[in-house]
Amino acid sequence: MSQIISKNKVQINNLHEITGVGDKLSEKIINAVGGEENLEKIVEGLDLERLIAIDGISQRKAIEIMNQLLGNPKQQFLKSERAHQLYEEIIQKIVDYSNTKYSENRILLLSPSKDKIAIEKQVDFVMKAKEKVSKLPIIKLRGLMKNLHMPLKIKAEYDPSKAILVESDEDNDYLTDLGLNQYYPIINASSAMFEEEVRTYELIYYVYTEGFIDVSEMNNSIMISKEAPEHEIVPELILNYFNKNAELFKRVCEIRKILNEDTILEDIAPILDEVNSLKKRNVDIEKVVNDVKSILDEEIKIAIKEINLEGDEVLDLLNHGIPPKIDKIFDKIISKGKITIKEETGIDFDPFLRQYPLEIDEAELERIKMTESSKKENDLFDKKITAANYLANIKLKAIEEVKQTLEFDYEFTLGSFAYEYDLVPPKLGDDFKLKEALHLELGLEKGDTIQRVDYDLSYPENVALLTGANSGGKTTLLETIAQVSIMAQMGLPVCAKEAEIKLLDEIYHFSKKRSLDAGAFESFLNVFMPIVTTTSEKLVLLDELEGITELEAAVKIISSFIEMIKESNSYAVIVTHMAKELMNYADVRVDGIEAKGLDKNYNLIVDRTPKMNCLARSTPEFILKRIYENSEGRLKEVYGKILKKFE
């Protein structure tokens, strides 16, 4: 679960000094997590979700707080807007491989560092993750891990049909403090009306201390010692938790099996299934008896019609009731009915009074229903206790397995990113040397048209001017250098076949898209000149900024900038169309990306690896030629006239 963390001790007592936090929010955070010690553990454990869960703290604010408490130097390293954007783009590409909120939050905490040991440790972690991912069923795992989370807590389900019986106010308070009154009402035996009250409930859980209440004649009672664990009094405390998280545990179990990790989670589903199947066994005895009665009534009617009674038998019927012949018919048919009832309910009893039509003995039926309900509840309760005891024993281990699986997603995310982009570990050295490097935007592209680039920036040539073809890849190269540098200092492998990177204090990347007006001369000086006045080691990447002022002044200012960078321990690459002019004022290497023409589809033919010590032309005529060939009518004529001026 490697991640670069500052060697500085977490400064929890400085929480209120963080921008946008202050005393009030600081106090709220500390109270919400249960004190400064807990907050320190949360920060050291990178548990970003605990901060996000605090009311009023967004994900962005939580990341900012966590980074500042960890001392992550992102703000000190990324010194320009475009550098920040490139960092965010790298982070987003990694987050795209994340399957869980836990992993996403961990990725968002990745930050550049200058700690060589920590960087190398993190790179090693990612490379091992890449190797591991290469041997796994990636798509299947992504499906299983999608939106995994820690087990959800449960809300109490109140059942007013059952009640807990206790012996005293003290016992009542004890169970209430445990929260068991959220599941069932609690009846106190000290109440004068308790004997009448208990009769109104389907089931009574007698939680005893001394056991002086006689419940032997209460068929609907279950005795439980007050000394029993909570889940033996109300097993739903455990069973509902595991039922609610059953699908989560099932997925985590499957993931761990794929990873060849031991798991106790495979025991959960069979245990829950057994208990849940018992709960579903709810035969309606009254309905079965009524259905059988209807059938028996019809059979008795038919059988009696076929009987011929003699004179003495008729007199006997008048004087003494049912004669033997009819009595035998009742015995035979009711015996059949008893067999049917037993087959459908599992209970051997006779609920019928012998008369036609048959009458149901309601008292006997009610007695049987109560007896069976109590028997069923006792049997179910025993099963629940057995299940709850086992599940309670494995609960912490089950939670730990989920936690480990979430932590694996962080590893899986980084490994998938490194594997898909085929990233390699950078060498941390004294210069910048890239071999077959590729911009991340092209990292997943296939085909011969994708060109990797080589580039070298080392002392004494620590500054270079980059010249050449429009749309030839100068901006892309600058961004590639920035990406490799940022990723290396984040402890990530990089998108190249080989790369040597120097660890620096700061990185600046200024894009030609920067909003400097043509007359923003003073703005340029205020932004760029302080860069060279500090002793920090830095990488400066400038992309076509010469439009800040008139040509001659721009040449003099930029050449002075170049000289100061060359004399420092820093590096710079400057994309410019003023290389010829700058060479008159500064001793600087000039590299060129050369365009050779257009292919049959009018695409630029260009070698995107710059030639060292080569002043390349911008070749705007090739771009004009492409636009000309793709135009029609009057517009094509206009472009044709312009092209003739380049002949």
Side-chain angles (χ1 to χ4, degrees):
M1 198 178 68
S2 179
Q3 182 148 358
I4 294 178
I5 301 176
S6 172
K7 288 182 178 178
N8 298 327
K9 182 173 173 59
V10 175
Q11 297 297 316
I12 299 301
N13 56 343
N14 293 337
L15 177 62
H16 64 284
E17 296 176 4
I18 296 174
T19 305
V21 176
D23 293 339
K24 190 174 180 180
L25 184 54
S26 173
E27 184 179 353
K28 181 178 181 179
I29 292 169
I30 290 170
N31 289 337
V33 301
E36 290 188 359
E37 279 191 23
N38 284 343
L39 180 57
E40 189 169 329
K41 289 176 184 176
I42 288 169
V43 174
E44 288 177 345
L46 303 173
D47 190 357
L48 196 64
E49 289 187 355
R50 287 286 300 278
L51 291 183
I52 296 171
I54 299 171
D55 186 40
I57 296 184
S58 64
Q59 183 187 60
R60 182 176 290 276
K61 175 57 71 176
I63 292 167
E64 182 184 340
I65 291 170
M66 187 78 82
N67 272 325
Q68 292 197 49
L69 290 176
L70 287 168
N72 285 343
K74 182 177 71 173
Q75 303 300 325
Q76 288 75 35
F77 180 68
L78 305 169
K79 302 300 288 188
S80 68
E81 182 183 350
R82 184 57 186 147
H84 271 281
Q85 288 173 352
L86 289 168
Y87 163 80
E88 296 289 348
E89 288 167 11
I90 293 165
I91 288 290
Q92 187 55 53
K93 287 190 182 298
I94 306 173
V95 165
D96 287 344
Y97 288 91
S98 174
N99 303 288
T100 64
K101 207 67 183 171
Y102 173 89
S103 175
E104 178 183 332
N105 289 336
R106 287 290 305 276
I107 297 301
L108 293 173
L109 288 173
L110 286 172
S111 181
S113 167
K114 202 181 176 183
D115 184 337
K116 184 177 180 182
I117 294 174
I119 288 171
E120 289 175 340
K121 182 180 177 183
Q122 175 77 356
V123 170
D124 183 59
F125 172 78
V126 179
M127 291 307 295
K128 286 178 180 175
K130 175 187 175 184
E131 175 66 18
K132 187 174 184 177
V133 165
S134 70
K135 298 173 183 176
L136 293 172
I138 297 173
I139 295 175
K140 184 174 183 180
L141 277 173
R142 283 178 184 162
L144 288 169
M145 288 198 294
K146 197 68 179 173
N147 297 324
L148 275 189
H149 49 79
M150 288 298 286
L152 299 171
K153 294 179 181 178
I154 56 166
K155 291 183 179 178
E157 294 180 7
Y158 190 73
D159 184 354
S161 69
K162 302 178 179 69
I164 296 174
L165 175 63
V166 296
E167 297 170 351
S168 65
D169 291 338
E170 183 184 352
D171 292 348
N172 190 336
D173 293 343
Y174 171 73
L175 296 186
T176 300
D177 288 343
L178 292 178
L180 303 191
N181 60 322
Q182 298 176 74
Y183 289 85
Y184 306 115
I186 298 177
I187 302 170
N188 196 330
S190 62
S191 166
M193 304 291 290
F194 94 90
E195 289 185 3
E196 293 181 18
E197 193 176 355
V198 294
R199 293 193 186 100
T200 64
Y201 294 96
E202 290 180 8
L203 189 67
I204 297 295
Y205 299 112
Y206 173 26
V207 179
Y208 65 90
T209 299
E210 298 178 17
F212 59 75
I213 302 173
D214 184 7
V215 293
S216 59
E217 294 184 5
M218 293 171 56
N219 291 326
N220 64 335
S221 67
I222 296 172
M223 290 185 70
I224 311 159
S225 170
K226 194 186 89 169
E227 301 303 317
E230 296 170 47
H231 64 265
E232 287 191 9
I233 300 173
V234 180
E236 284 74 17
L237 285 166
I238 290 293
L239 296 177
N240 289 358
Y241 175 84
F242 277 88
N243 274 312
K244 187 175 186 67
N245 294 291
E247 181 60 28
L248 170 70
F249 290 135
K250 180 181 176 183
R251 287 164 61 195
V252 171
C253 178
E254 194 169 346
I255 292 165
R256 290 182 70 83
K257 284 182 176 179
I258 291 172
L259 300 176
N260 293 317
E261 299 281 354
D262 293 335
T263 179
I264 46 86
L265 300 177
E266 59 190 341
D267 297 340
I268 295 171
I271 290 170
L272 292 177
D273 287 345
E274 184 179 0
V275 174
N276 293 335
S277 65
L278 276 172
K279 287 163 69 176
K280 291 173 184 173
R281 293 176 203 165
N282 191 15
V283 179
D284 188 338
I285 298 173
E286 191 166 348
K287 183 178 184 303
V288 171
V289 169
N290 278 298
D291 289 346
V292 170
K293 174 187 175 303
S294 298
I295 295 169
L296 299 187
D297 280 343
E298 187 63 28
E299 288 186 15
I300 291 169
K301 180 180 177 182
I302 293 169
I304 288 176
K305 280 183 178 180
E306 295 174 355
I307 293 176
N308 292 318
L309 294 178
E310 296 178 2
D312 290 343
E313 290 174 319
V314 172
L315 290 173
D316 197 39
L317 175 63
L318 293 172
N319 294 326
H320 303 103
I322 300 174
K325 282 184 180 179
I326 295 177
D327 203 35
K328 285 181 181 179
I329 290 172
F330 273 100
D331 284 345
K332 183 179 179 181
I333 292 175
I334 287 173
S335 293
K336 281 176 59 181
K338 282 176 63 180
I339 292 170
T340 303
I341 289 171
K342 186 175 182 180
E343 286 174 351
E344 295 199 23
T345 67
I347 309 166
D348 187 7
F349 77 109
D350 180 0
F352 302 116
L353 298 174
R354 283 163 168 70
Q355 60 185 61
Y356 183 80
L358 290 174
E359 220 178 279
I360 295 172
D361 187 340
E362 296 294 345
E364 175 66 3
L365 180 59
E366 199 59 34
R367 184 188 70 79
I368 289 295
K369 282 166 62 179
M370 287 290 292
T371 301
E372 286 303 309
S373 175
S374 178
K375 183 179 175 183
K376 178 194 168 189
E377 288 293 345
N378 272 279
D379 185 39
L380 177 58
F381 190 75
D382 287 342
K383 294 286 186 185
K384 283 181 177 180
I385 294 298
T386 302
N389 274 327
Y390 179 79
L391 295 175
N393 285 332
I394 68 167
K395 183 178 178 181
L396 291 179
K397 183 69 171 67
I399 293 170
E400 181 60 26
E401 287 192 21
V402 175
K403 185 170 181 276
Q404 289 172 2
T405 304
L406 291 174
E407 290 171 354
F408 166 71
D409 188 42
Y410 169 67
E411 177 186 358
F412 185 70
T413 297
L414 288 172
S416 297
F417 173 64
Y419 176 67
E420 295 284 347
Y421 281 87
D422 194 21
L423 306 182
V424 302
K427 175 186 174 184
L428 304 182
D430 296 321
D431 298 301
F432 285 89
K433 295 179 182 177
L434 305 182
K435 185 174 181 181
E436 295 190 47
L438 197 60
H439 195 287
L440 282 178
E441 288 299 325
L442 304 172
L444 299 180
E445 299 289 335
K446 307 295 180 186
D448 298 334
T449 58
I450 305 302
Q451 290 186 37
R452 292 177 172 267
V453 298
D454 300 339
Y455 201 62
D456 188 331
L457 200 63
S458 54
Y459 280 101
E461 296 177 337
N462 57 315
V463 180
L465 303 181
L466 189 57
T467 64
N470 295 328
S471 303
K474 299 188 296 296
T475 296
T476 301
L477 175 57
L478 236 58
E479 291 189 353
T480 302
I481 295 169
Q483 284 179 348
V484 170
S485 182
I486 293 169
M487 289 173 69
Q489 295 204 209
M490 288 171 67
L492 297 173
V494 298
C495 199
K497 294 299 181 184
E498 294 179 19
E500 178 180 338
I501 300 299
K502 180 177 173 62
L503 297 180
L504 298 170
D505 300 309
E506 300 170 347
I507 181 169
Y508 296 82
H509 187 297
F510 294 106
S511 167
K512 57 188 172 184
K513 296 174 185 175
R514 181 179 170 81
S515 59
L516 283 177
D517 297 332
F521 183 49
E522 184 177 354
S523 175
F524 171 79
L525 295 176
N526 288 333
V527 170
F528 292 95
M529 298 319 290
I531 294 173
V532 293
T533 62
T534 63
T535 57
S536 59
E537 296 181 314
K538 55 188 77 71
L539 172 64
V540 184
L541 304 168
L542 305 180
D543 193 357
E544 295 184 28
L545 295 169
E546 48 263 36
I548 55 168
T549 184
E550 54 91 16
L551 180 61
E552 187 176 352
V555 168
K556 290 176 181 177
I557 292 165
I558 294 175
S559 62
S560 299
F561 183 84
I562 290 169
E563 287 172 349
M564 285 184 276
I565 290 286
K566 276 183 66 69
E567 292 169 3
S568 70
N569 292 323
S570 298
Y571 297 80
V573 180
I574 303 169
V575 173
T576 181
H577 294 293
M578 301 187 304
K580 266 187 181 179
E581 292 79 5
L582 287 167
M583 289 168 71
N584 294 326
Y585 287 89
D587 180 16
V588 61
R589 191 182 83 196
V590 179
D591 302 331
I593 295 177
E594 291 189 319
K596 300 175 182 177
L598 298 173
D599 63 17
K600 61 182 179 180
N601 297 317
Y602 306 107
N603 295 315
L604 201 64
I605 301 171
V606 61
D607 182 359
R608 298 187 187 275
T609 292
K611 288 187 177 180
M612 304 296 182
N613 298 303
C614 171
L615 178 61
R617 292 174 55 239
S618 62
T619 59
E621 65 271 24
F622 292 144
I623 307 301
L624 277 168
K625 175 69 173 172
R626 181 170 62 195
I627 296 173
Y628 167 77
E629 294 295 345
N630 290 321
S631 301
E632 296 179 353
R634 175 63 181 154
L635 195 57
K636 188 162 189 168
E637 290 179 21
V638 171
Y639 282 126
K641 289 179 180 179
I642 298 172
L643 269 175
K644 286 181 180 179
K645 296 183 183 293
F646 284 87
E647 293 176 357

